[in-house]
Amino acid sequence: MKPSVGIRDVAQHAGVSNATVSNVLNRPDVVAPATRQRVLAAIAELGFVRNESARQLRAGRSRVIAYVVLDAANPFFTDVARGVEDAAREAGLALFLCNSASDDSREREYLELLHEQRVEGILITPVDGASAQFAERGTPLVLVDRESTDGTRCSVAVDDVLGGELAVTHLIEAGHTRIAMIGGPLSIQQVRDRHEGALRALAGAGLPPDALTLLETKDLQVAEGRGAGERLVGLPSSRRPTAAFCANDLLALGLLQSMTQQGLRVPDDLAVVGYDDIDFAAAAAVPLTSVRQPREQLGRTAAQLLLTENEPDHEHRHVKFQPELVVRASSAVKR
Amino acid sequence: MKPSVGIRDVAQHAGVSNATVSNVLNRPDVVAPATRQRVLAAIAELGFVRNESARQLRAGRSRVIAYVVLDAANPFFTDVARGVEDAAREAGLALFLCNSASDDSREREYLELLHEQRVEGILITPVDGASAQFAERGTPLVLVDRESTDGTRCSVAVDDVLGGELAVTHLIEAGHTRIAMIGGPLSIQQVRDRHEGALRALAGAGLPPDALTLLETKDLQVAEGRGAGERLVGLPSSRRPTAAFCANDLLALGLLQSMTQQGLRVPDDLAVVGYDDIDFAAAAAVPLTSVRQPREQLGRTAAQLLLTENEPDHEHRHVKFQPELVVRASSAVKR
DNA sequence: CTCAGCCGTTAAAACGTTTCAACATGGAGG
DNA sequence: CCTCCATGTTGAAACGTTTTAACGGCTGAG
């Protein structure tokens, strides 16, 4: 079951030295065709599988990068991951996905493990800005969808302030003057930025800051969106917002569902704008207006940045993408 | 940047031998408290990170399992993965996720890599039943959401024939006599099984087999569901089905969206039943009736099975779960 | 004072590769 | 006939751990 056939078994079987076998594996061109065939035959016959640990130990390289993702159940991140993987495989690297599930200690454990594995590099969307202090351990590390505050490493992010501004400006132009912002917790940088963008939009339109009601949520999942919907409907109708800007699409989908359940129509009774533009947003029964982030490109760029990390004259870069508003039925112009 | 501080640097710094450092790392109880402290201090001071490759090479063990997932963008699989991860971490193992994205060659590459990495075990939802011939390479491997045809390895699956039967029986009892089945390609075992279940339900109710119209799709994504919706509406109303059973929830969501876009109501004009009961199904604007698979438990069980693989008297087992129908608004009883 | 037994520590041998300098072989050029 | 070079191949030394058997010092019993 575990015969553990090694390179020297192959060598012996093919009547060559182990160095030659290694050459066949790593620099096939340097070995004579006849010998190469013989070695390959022996490999196939013995069912030899190269031991990556040994290889890595000796060679130092590892051919693997990892992406520590914040929430594998959020389609936004799986889309980012797809971009990462495409770029990685173009560079001949494989991608391991690790799910921190928004859990501090899981994140730490995975980082530790990845360091021990000596992966070629790490991409991470960290759990929280606060604890984002990663001990420098010699493994290149790039932040994804977070901006590196100190200039100590590369990062790829999206301008969330602008995103918030786009969303709320759109709602204002559609005629809304009482708007809810749904999202939380505020400890998350993204949420703060999008909120700030929303406020900026009000200011730009000459509306008072209290035109925006903040409904804070515990997390960014569908269930919280439903809860927020109930809270919203519970407000006295004179003060109830006519539009809602959600910090991500999961919340928006929850909100949407809550509205239909309570017999309210979207967008007539409440206009809704989400954030991320995940595929389910377009596929919702009331297609969701959303702020699109370049998901695949985010991942792709992050991976490319990572690859430049161990160039000799590397300087840390901070790429920032522009979000884009995608208007759909959920925020049709108010009559 | 890459000082590569090793165990013997630590040893020297703490004034002990490298064996003692190794003991501190692996069997802390066996070394005197005073020495242990000194070694730990040295480790911290030098920022030593154990080299997993070397450890693994010598010790043979690896503390990592992997799940090669069919489609990381499908919430069903991320939920299964969550179950896998929970079980893995209880056993002190970490989980690497690999996304084959329904691509044969990616799947092969990842399997090869994982074998080379000498991971402790592999879980896989393979791309296709046909090519599911994995060369036995000594790494334990368990099939997830697929049944092992030959008895050569463990598998964890769900009774898809029963699932199809439940879904269609439910529609028949609600008064429908013209039913569409949407799904494909038929090369996928799951789709075939669910279709068979649907036919069985017809037979059980005394309906002729042509009461079921099969609309075959190219894959199981949202877009194909939308397309099927258009095909469906294009049928002459005398022959148009009044209910649809979709092979998974993504298709069902696409179908739902297509219906609303075309001004048809669900369930009044068309009742819809999905499959998988992903969270987005309940969160859809018309909450989706769906066949629930025990997603987390599927993953959890698969992981546990994997752990038993290298017990001396191991026998391959095939666990099969029962699906369960969850009735929601999308299939309310026909008046 | 000796000896057995225990405890903590250590030297050295693996683990399976890659890599580098050195080595055969044989033909071309002088 | 000698030298030189090119082409293929090889022996042996790493890589950084874990592990095993042996070791020295100390304690308490005889």
Side-chain angles (χ1 to χ4, degrees):
Chain A
M1 195 49 93
K2 294 233 174 193
S4 194
V5 25
I7 208 176
R8 48 198 341 140
D9 300 300
V10 175
Q12 190 175 352
H13 196 264
V16 295
S17 85
N18 35 357
T20 299
V21 178
S22 176
N23 280 335
V24 169
L25 257 31
N26 302 302
R27 309 203 269 309
D29 46 305
V30 89
V31 46
T35 328
R36 192 191 319 157
Q37 290 311 325
R38 207 148 27 98
V39 171
L40 287 176
I43 287 179
E45 191 168 341
L46 272 58
F48 163 77
V49 178
R50 177 217 255 116
N51 184 327
E52 179 68 22
S53 303
R55 169 198 179 79
Q56 190 174 323
L57 173 60
R58 174 63 228 229
R61 268 158 283 142
S62 105
R63 296 155 58 237
V64 173
I65 65 174
Y67 178 23
V68 183
V69 80
L70 186 59
D71 176 12
N74 185 338
F76 172 74
F77 290 112
T78 59
D79 287 345
V80 175
R82 171 175 296 260
V84 172
E85 193 182 10
D86 288 347
R89 98 188 321 253
E90 279 168 22
L93 296 169
L95 175 69
F96 285 157
L97 242 39
C98 304
N99 183 21
S100 72
S102 297
D103 177 348
D104 237 345
S105 63
R106 281 193 190 209
E107 177 179 295
R108 255 197 309 278
E109 285 174 28
Y110 273 121
L111 282 175
E112 183 68 25
L113 181 67
L114 292 170
H115 277 125
E116 292 183 355
Q117 293 268 357
R118 299 290 192 276
V119 295
E120 215 46 16
I122 301 178
L123 298 169
I124 181 170
T125 303
V127 166
D128 203 36
S131 79
Q133 297 310 18
F134 311 108
E136 188 57 68
R137 291 259 208 20
T139 308
L141 189 151
V142 171
L143 296 184
V144 180
D145 200 35
R146 287 279 192 284
E147 194 157 19
S148 164
T149 47
D150 45 6
T152 162
R153 47 177 49 95
C154 287
S155 68
V156 180
V158 177
D159 189 338
D160 282 314
V161 177
L162 176 58
E165 194 175 350
L166 285 175
V168 172
T169 298
H170 165 67
L171 288 172
I172 293 172
E173 285 174 353
H176 298 277
T177 53
R178 290 200 310 278
I179 300 175
M181 155 116 196
I182 298 174
L186 285 177
S187 62
I188 299 179
Q189 179 70 40
Q190 258 85 346
V191 178
R192 282 203 305 276
D193 285 354
R194 290 166 198 181
H195 184 235
E196 185 189 328
L199 290 176
R200 191 172 293 182
L202 295 185
L207 288 175
D210 65 358
L212 190 80
T213 311
L214 176 66
L215 292 183
E216 194 173 350
T217 57
K218 296 202 203 336
D219 59 44
L220 297 169
Q221 315 278 18
V222 175
E224 282 289 306
R226 276 197 295 265
E230 281 152 26
R231 276 194 277 162
L232 199 62
V233 173
L235 293 177
S237 62
S238 61
R239 287 184 43 231
R240 188 197 301 161
T242 59
F245 167 44
C246 300
N248 82 358
D249 283 345
L250 299 186
L251 289 175
L253 288 174
L255 179 63
L256 217 60
Q257 187 197 8
S258 162
M259 288 302 113
T260 12
Q261 270 179 353
Q262 298 181 71
L264 295 180
R265 285 164 308 165
V266 173
D268 307 80
D269 298 316
L270 185 80
V272 176
V273 175
Y275 208 107
D276 285 349
D277 193 33
I278 60 177
D279 288 337
F280 290 106
V286 181
L288 199 62
T289 294
S290 193
V291 178
R292 172 180 298 169
Q293 314 201 54
R295 304 186 295 271
E296 282 89 353
Q297 205 187 348
L298 209 59
R300 169 172 287 278
T301 308
Q304 284 161 351
L305 237 45
L306 187 64
L307 295 179
T308 69
E309 281 275 347
N310 34 23
E311 285 172 2
D313 53 347
H314 174 79
E315 278 184 24
H316 292 307
R317 290 178 51 205
H318 306 282
V319 178
K320 198 161 195 168
F321 287 104
Q322 303 297 312
E324 175 192 358
L325 186 72
V326 180
V327 179
R328 298 202 185 85
S330 75
S331 71
V333 176
K334 200 178 181 184
R335 289 154 306 169
Chain B
M1 195 51 90
K2 294 232 174 196
S4 197
V5 26
I7 208 175
R8 48 199 339 141
D9 301 297
V10 174
Q12 190 175 353
H13 196 265
V16 295
S17 84
N18 35 0
T20 299
V21 178
S22 176
N23 280 334
V24 169
L25 258 32
N26 302 302
R27 310 204 269 311
D29 46 306
V30 90
V31 46
T35 328
R36 194 193 317 159
Q37 290 310 327
R38 206 151 26 98
V39 171
L40 288 176
I43 288 179
E45 191 169 341
L46 272 59
F48 163 76
V49 178
R50 177 217 256 116
N51 185 325
E52 179 68 21
S53 304
R55 169 200 179 77
Q56 189 174 322
L57 173 59
R58 174 61 228 224
R61 266 158 283 141
S62 104
R63 296 154 58 238
V64 173
I65 64 174
Y67 178 22
V68 183
V69 80
L70 186 59
D71 176 11
N74 184 339
F76 172 74
F77 289 111
T78 60
D79 287 343
V80 174
R82 172 175 296 261
V84 172
E85 193 180 13
D86 288 348
R89 96 186 324 249
E90 278 167 25
L93 296 168
L95 176 69
F96 286 158
L97 242 40
C98 304
N99 183 20
S100 71
S102 297
D103 177 347
D104 235 346
S105 64
R106 281 195 191 207
E107 177 178 294
R108 254 196 309 277
E109 284 174 29
Y110 273 120
L111 282 175
E112 184 68 24
L113 181 66
L114 293 170
H115 276 126
E116 291 183 355
Q117 293 269 358
R118 299 291 194 273
V119 294
E120 227 26 31
I122 300 177
L123 298 170
I124 181 170
T125 303
V127 166
D128 204 33
S131 80
Q133 296 309 19
F134 311 110
E136 188 58 68
R137 291 261 208 20
T139 308
L141 189 151
V142 171
L143 297 183
V144 181
D145 200 35
R146 286 280 192 284
E147 192 157 19
S148 163
T149 46
D150 44 8
T152 160
R153 46 178 50 97
C154 286
S155 68
V156 180
V158 178
D159 188 337
D160 283 315
V161 177
L162 176 58
E165 194 175 350
L166 285 175
V168 173
T169 298
H170 165 68
L171 288 172
I172 294 173
E173 285 173 353
H176 297 279
T177 53
R178 290 200 309 278
I179 300 176
M181 156 118 197
I182 298 174
L186 284 178
S187 63
I188 298 179
Q189 178 70 40
Q190 259 85 346
V191 178
R192 281 202 305 275
D193 284 355
R194 291 167 197 179
H195 184 236
E196 185 188 329
L199 291 177
R200 192 172 292 183
L202 296 184
L207 289 173
D210 66 358
L212 190 80
T213 311
L214 176 65
L215 293 182
E216 194 171 350
T217 58
K218 294 202 201 338
D219 59 43
L220 298 169
Q221 316 277 19
V222 175
E224 282 289 307
R226 277 198 295 266
E230 281 152 27
R231 274 194 277 162
L232 198 60
V233 174
L235 294 177
S237 61
S238 61
R239 285 184 44 230
R240 189 197 299 161
T242 58
F245 166 45
C246 300
N248 83 358
D249 282 345
L250 299 185
L251 289 175
L253 289 173
L255 179 62
L256 217 60
Q257 187 199 6
S258 162
M259 288 302 113
T260 13
Q261 271 181 352
Q262 300 181 70
L264 295 182
R265 287 164 307 163
V266 171
D268 307 80
D269 297 318
L270 185 80
V272 175
V273 175
Y275 207 109
D276 285 349
D277 192 32
I278 61 178
D279 288 339
F280 290 105
V286 181
L288 199 63
T289 295
S290 194
V291 178
R292 172 180 296 167
Q293 314 201 54
R295 304 186 295 271
E296 282 89 352
Q297 204 187 348
L298 209 59
R300 170 173 287 278
T301 308
Q304 285 161 350
L305 236 46
L306 187 63
L307 295 179
T308 70
E309 282 274 347
N310 34 23
E311 285 172 1
D313 53 347
H314 174 80
E315 279 185 22
H316 293 307
R317 290 178 51 205
H318 307 281
V319 178
K320 197 161 197 170
F321 288 104
Q322 303 297 312
E324 175 191 359
L325 185 73
V326 180
V327 178
R328 299 202 185 85
S330 75
S331 72
V333 176
K334 200 179 181 186
R335 291 152 306 170

